[in-house]
Every structure is written in structure tokens, then in C-alpha cells.
Amino acid sequence: MMRSLYSAVSGLKAHQTAMDVIGNNISNVNTTGYKSSSITFQELFSQTLQGATSAQDNTGGSNAIQIGLGVSVGSTNYNMESGIIESSNGVLDAALDGDGYFIVSDGSQNYYTRAGSFSYDGEGNITYGNDGYYVQGWQADEDGKINTNIQAGNIYLDRSMDPSATTYCNFTGNINSTLENILKLQTSEIDIKDTNGDTDTISVELTEGSAYNTWEYTLTAGDSSSVFEINNHPSTGSISGEIVLNNDGTVSSFTTDAGDDLLSNALTLSIGGSGPAVTIANHTASFDTSTTALFEDAAGTKESITADYEFDSTAKLTAEVYDSQGNSHTLYLYADQVADNTWEINSSDVDLTDASNVSLDSNTITLVFDDDGKLVSGDELELSFTPDGLSSTQTISVDLSEMSQHADDTDLTAVYDGYTAGSLNDISYSDTGELVGSYSNGYSKIIAQLAIGDFANPSGLLKVGDTLFQESVNSGDVIISTAGSGGTGAIKSSSLEASNVDISEQFSNMIKIQRGYQANSTVITTSDEMLETLVNMKR
């Protein structure tokens, strides 16, 4: 009789413990990173009234007669499945999409958590919880590189970015191979008058030649019987040839199709083919098209055919560079086209704002492109200057190797290092847990990287409060790596992992535990009534 009481009491205790587990789960239904628990029961030892017997010659064997003495808690188990990942407003909040645990430290011991609700203190240390546990990871060096081969430690925010001087500048893009060059006639025809008083009208037509900076001309007389002549080579009705210009508009070559040179021989016209010769071109050397007529009746009508030359032979390369104190300077390099596929950058033409002693490593840098528009020579130069207010000379390596020359608009872009000082504006995580800071100077850099711990048996971890776990002899040693490696999950920035408590499951379990508790209490009530009956027998 007493055994049933004791068994029922143990059942009440076990079911009460189960309700404690369910109650704790439900109370943490909205706790960030919480892992729900479950409970299992196991039978207590049994009292043996008669042992088992083996079979004999004339009788069979018999089983032992045992009476159980109740129930006890067999185990509590953690449900380590991930909870739903939800967006949050915390810039330092992080969630793990997969296996692994964030690592925090009180200075003497590491703890592990799925609750990535991080913040930072007055010194910039990244912390967890009200007790200010330090979040563990690896701090980046000045270049933003991280060495994960060393022991993880406290990480902190770098809330300012020191200025950095520019050391390189790479230009990419295209220089237009067909820059604007125009020889435009101001007058296209004139009247010619010889000493006999006879007149004729001559006109000229200009077309751009196939070679660089060349124009083809055709000079035509109104009287088709009029005869042009140069160097004893007559041409009736018209004469044609070629003008070759320098970039500054001076004429370097002025010839006829027959090869006669108008720079050293006079061109004349005989009106009607029989009149006295009238000189219409008599150039004794190179001349400027903007100041000297191409063809002129200097003695008769004094009329002339003139042209205006316009040529933009310069491509401008612009970049913003910085000195060691973060002061910005605007760099202007001027590339002048000097021939087909050939450009020159002269040291004397380089401009750099707020600086002195500006020079290149060579007086003239010659850029040569091949027929495919690829730069084959002159792809590197070095710029030296002294920033205003500073005493030391700064040097910048300029790379032009990615420039091309095609018949398209000039469109050049500069890629360079260096920046002015900046303050931290925003932070975010990469998938691998790199903490990236965005600064007021427009630049970003890697500040640190979170360390992630994992275990062979996560269910063997010990809960120690504050949604923290501690390793135990049954969890296995922690394996520290980065997010996304070694089987660990990726980091989700500005997110938190919700509790994995399933309310519907907890309510179902609650009903079962309630019924079990009621049944055990009924056993106690019934046993009590039976004892009362026994006592009343004496009366």
C-alpha cells in the first residue's frame, strides 16, 4: 500500500519538474537566441518479491516478481535547431544562419551564445549583455587585413580613419583617336585679272584627307580653257593637290598631285590659255593658315582665298589626390597628339593645385598606341610635388596601361588610393563576420571579424544564464573558426535569431503533463482511501 503512495509522489515530483521545463520554455518564447528544453522520464528501481527461476526436469522456469517504486527525471535535452532570423534596428546585431555560436568573454572565461545582440561601450569595445561581456574575434590591421591564425581576443570599433597619402593613380578609359581638326574656308572663290584686263573666276574645294591632319584641294577656273602652271607643269581647267598641317596650324607641306611644291615654286594662271600668267600662290616657306592666304591675286584684284584652322589636340587627365595630412589636390595631365597614334605629356604642362615643385620623372612622356588602339609605350610615369604647408616631397606612381585610343568620345577615369580623415558613420557585417565601417570621407574598411565557436555535441553545453552556454566535458572542446567555414553558418547583419520555442508543442505537452499529474494525485487519493478502510476495520 505504501509503495503506491511513494510511486505516486515520485510521479507528482517528476510531472512538476516537467511543468517547470514547459513553463521556462513558454516564459522565453520571445528571448533572443533561446533554445527550448525537453524532459524525459525514467523508471526508478524495482523491489523484487521473488527472483526468476530456471526450468527444471518436471517444471518450467518462472519470471521474477518485481514491483516498481516510481519515476524520476531521466534527462533534460536542448533543442539546438536554429530559430527564425528576424531583422532588427541594431547596427551591431548579428544572427548566425546555420551552426555555430558567438563567443564572449568576462576576461577570464569564454562563453557561447546564439543571441547576437551586441553593442559598444564608451571606449568602442564591442560588448554583449548587461554585464558587458567582451565579444571575441580578430582586429584588423591598418590595411584592413585580418590574421585569423592568432588567438581570438576582444574586438573594438575604430571610430576614426586617419588620412592617407596617395601613392598610386591609375587612369582607365579611352582617348578619342579622331580629335577635332578643321580647315574651314573663309572665302572659296576669287576673281583673277591679268595685265591685259581679262578676268576669270577661280574656286577651291577642300576635303579632309585620309592621312593625319591633311586636306586635299581642287582649284578650278571658271574658264575651262584657262591653264594653271607650276614648275613648267601645265594643267588645263583645274589643278589638285594636298595640304599637310602641323598641330599649330602652320603648313608643313603644300603640293600638287604631280608632286610640285607650292612652298618653293609659284603657281600661275593663264586666262583662256593664252593670256599673261597671273601668280596666285607664291609661298617661300611654311606659313600659318590663320594669317596667310592660300591663293591670292596680289597684283590684279587683290582678292584672296583664306582658311581658318581649328584643332583641339589635347586630352585632359584629371584626378583628385591627397597628401599625408589628408589635404586634397586636383591633378591635371595634358596629353597632346603629335602624330597618328602618338601623344606627349610634357612635365612643364602638369598642373597640381596647392602644391609646388611639380614635375614628372621625364620632361616628356610619349604615349604610343598600336593600330588596335592599345597603349604599347609610355604606360608609366612618376609625379613628384611638395604640398603647400608641408616640407617633404610626395611621389605618386601614375599608370596609364589601361588607356585605349579608339574613335569614340574621350572618357577617362582615375582610380587612386589616399583619402582625407573621416569619422565612423555606419557599420555592417559581411557573410563571413567581417565588421565593415563606413566613414564620412566616403571610404570603407574592415575593422574586425567575429570569431565563431562550434562543438561536436552542442547539446552537451551547460546553460549559465544570460542566454549563455558554457562548454562541458560532454560537449567536446570548442572549435574556433570564422562564419561560413568549418561547417558554421553565415552572418546576417542587423538581424537577430528568435527563440525556437514552439508554443503549440508546449501547450500539447502541458496537457499531457497535466493529465499525468492528475492521475498520480488520484493514485494518492485512492491509496489514502484504502488505508482509511484498513484502519476502520479495527473498529
Side-chain angles (χ1 to χ4, degrees):
M1 188 71 68
M2 297 301 293
R3 284 192 294 264
S4 64
L5 284 172
Y6 292 141
S7 295
V9 169
S10 69
L12 290 178
K13 290 181 178 179
H15 283 77
Q16 178 59 58
T17 302
M19 275 300 299
D20 293 340
V21 172
I22 293 173
N24 183 61
N25 286 338
I26 293 176
S27 68
N28 285 285
V29 67
N30 290 315
T31 300
T32 300
Y34 175 78
K35 299 304 176 187
S36 62
S37 300
S38 61
I39 190 170
T40 61
F41 296 152
Q42 67 182 12
E43 182 185 16
L44 282 175
F45 62 90
S46 297
Q47 182 180 4
T48 302
L49 301 181
Q50 177 181 311
T53 62
S54 61
Q56 303 297 320
D57 293 338
N58 298 318
T59 60
S62 62
N63 294 328
I65 300 174
Q66 290 182 300
I67 299 175
L69 298 179
V71 67
S72 66
V73 174
S75 66
T76 56
N77 302 305
Y78 303 138
N79 175 13
M80 290 301 189
E81 291 183 0
S82 298
I84 297 173
I85 295 178
E86 301 173 335
S87 297
S88 72
N89 295 323
V91 294
L92 280 175
D93 288 348
L96 267 168
D97 187 12
D99 295 340
Y101 297 84
F102 301 111
I103 306 174
V104 299
S105 174
D106 62 3
S108 61
Q109 185 175 358
N110 285 343
Y111 301 93
Y112 309 93
T113 182
R114 294 284 295 190
S117 51
F118 303 140
S119 57
Y120 60 92
D121 61 19
E123 296 181 357
N125 297 302
I126 301 177
T127 61
Y128 168 82
N130 293 330
D131 292 328
Y133 292 104
Y134 291 118
V135 177
Q136 300 296 286
W138 299 275
Q139 200 72 25
D141 62 18
E142 294 181 355
D143 297 326
K145 296 180 180 180
I146 294 177
N147 181 12
T148 59
N149 294 320
I150 61 176
Q151 183 176 352
N154 302 344
I155 57 176
Y156 54 89
L157 297 179
D158 191 352
R159 289 180 285 188
S160 64
M161 180 183 288
D162 293 333
S164 176
T166 300
T167 60
Y168 71 86
C169 180
N170 301 337
F171 284 96
T172 62
N174 183 65
I175 289 182
N176 194 344
S177 61
T178 56
L179 292 179
E180 188 73 12
N181 52 338
I182 299 173
L183 182 61
K184 183 178 180 181
L185 291 171
Q186 301 299 310
T187 55
S188 60
E189 64 178 33
I190 57 174
D191 291 331
I192 302 296
K193 184 177 182 180
D194 63 18
T195 55
N196 291 337
D198 296 325
T199 61
D200 196 355
T201 300
I202 62 171
S203 61
V204 67
E205 179 182 353
L206 279 177
T207 57
E208 190 171 0
S210 58
Y212 175 74
N213 226 7
T214 64
W215 276 262
E216 296 174 354
Y217 70 87
T218 298
L219 198 60
T220 304
D223 184 347
S224 60
S225 62
S226 296
V227 177
F228 295 95
E229 184 174 343
I230 180 173
N231 200 24
N232 297 320
H233 293 150
S235 178
T236 303
S238 65
I239 190 170
S240 299
E242 181 182 72
I243 304 174
V244 179
L245 300 181
N246 298 312
N247 286 338
D248 59 1
T250 57
V251 178
S252 65
S253 175
F254 197 178
T255 59
T256 66
D257 288 344
D260 295 312
D261 187 4
L262 275 73
L263 296 181
S264 56
N265 299 281
L267 174 65
T268 63
L269 175 69
S270 177
I271 298 174
S274 59
V278 179
T279 300
I280 57 174
N282 187 22
H283 306 295
T284 58
S286 174
F287 63 94
D288 192 329
T289 57
S290 62
T291 58
T292 306
L294 298 176
F295 305 100
E296 180 181 20
D297 182 3
T301 63
K302 302 187 185 305
E303 295 180 6
S304 59
I305 293 176
T306 59
D308 184 29
Y309 178 72
E310 297 178 1
F311 182 54
D312 181 9
S313 63
T314 302
K316 183 165 67 175
L317 290 71
T318 306
E320 197 80 10
V321 298
Y322 296 88
D323 61 33
S324 58
Q325 292 187 352
N327 300 306
S328 65
H329 306 264
T330 304
L331 170 65
Y332 300 99
L333 298 175
Y334 300 94
D336 297 318
Q337 191 172 30
V338 295
D340 286 342
N341 299 327
T342 304
W343 303 70
E344 288 183 352
I345 299 176
N346 294 306
S347 181
S348 59
D349 294 335
V350 176
D351 289 333
L352 187 66
T353 60
D354 301 322
S356 59
N357 303 321
V358 181
S359 65
L360 301 179
D361 54 341
S362 178
N363 290 333
T364 301
I365 308 297
T366 302
L367 284 63
V368 180
F369 295 87
D370 62 17
D371 290 342
D372 294 326
K374 181 179 180 181
L375 186 64
V376 294
S377 178
D379 57 353
E380 292 182 352
L381 58 92
E382 189 171 87
L383 171 71
S384 299
F385 64 97
T386 303
D388 289 352
L390 302 180
S391 58
S392 59
T393 299
Q394 183 171 336
T395 301
I396 297 176
S397 297
V398 180
D399 188 345
L400 309 176
S401 60
E402 296 300 319
M403 286 173 46
S404 61
Q405 179 197 253
H406 298 129
D408 197 0
D409 293 340
T410 296
D411 185 12
L412 296 170
T413 302
V415 179
Y416 48 87
D417 63 347
Y419 40 80
T420 188
S423 57
L424 186 63
N425 281 345
D426 195 16
I427 45 181
S428 62
Y429 295 102
S430 69
D431 290 347
T432 58
E434 293 173 335
L435 185 60
V436 181
S438 299
Y439 293 81
S440 59
N441 58 8
Y443 282 81
S444 299
K445 72 173 183 178
I446 297 173
I447 299 175
Q449 187 170 14
L450 296 174
I452 304 299
D454 201 8
F455 297 87
N457 177 28
S459 296
L461 293 169
L462 298 176
K463 288 186 176 182
V464 292
D466 294 331
T467 324
L468 296 175
F469 294 96
Q470 185 179 36
E471 62 185 287
S472 72
V473 293
N474 196 41
S475 65
D477 293 334
V478 64
I479 302 170
I480 298 177
S481 62
T482 59
S485 65
T488 59
I491 296 292
K492 299 299 180 183
S493 186
S494 295
S495 300
L496 292 173
E497 180 183 346
S499 168
N500 68 354
V501 172
D502 185 338
I503 287 291
S504 61
E505 181 183 5
Q506 298 303 314
F507 284 168
S508 297
N509 290 338
M510 189 187 303
I511 293 172
K512 292 191 297 181
I513 296 302
Q514 181 183 15
R515 292 291 179 255
Y517 192 90
Q518 289 174 340
N520 279 277
S521 65
T522 300
V523 170
I524 292 176
T525 301
T526 302
S527 296
D528 177 60
E529 291 176 352
M530 293 174 67
L531 285 173
E532 183 179 359
T533 300
L534 180 62
V535 171
N536 290 336
M537 287 176 62
K538 179 181 178 183
R539 298 175 185 175

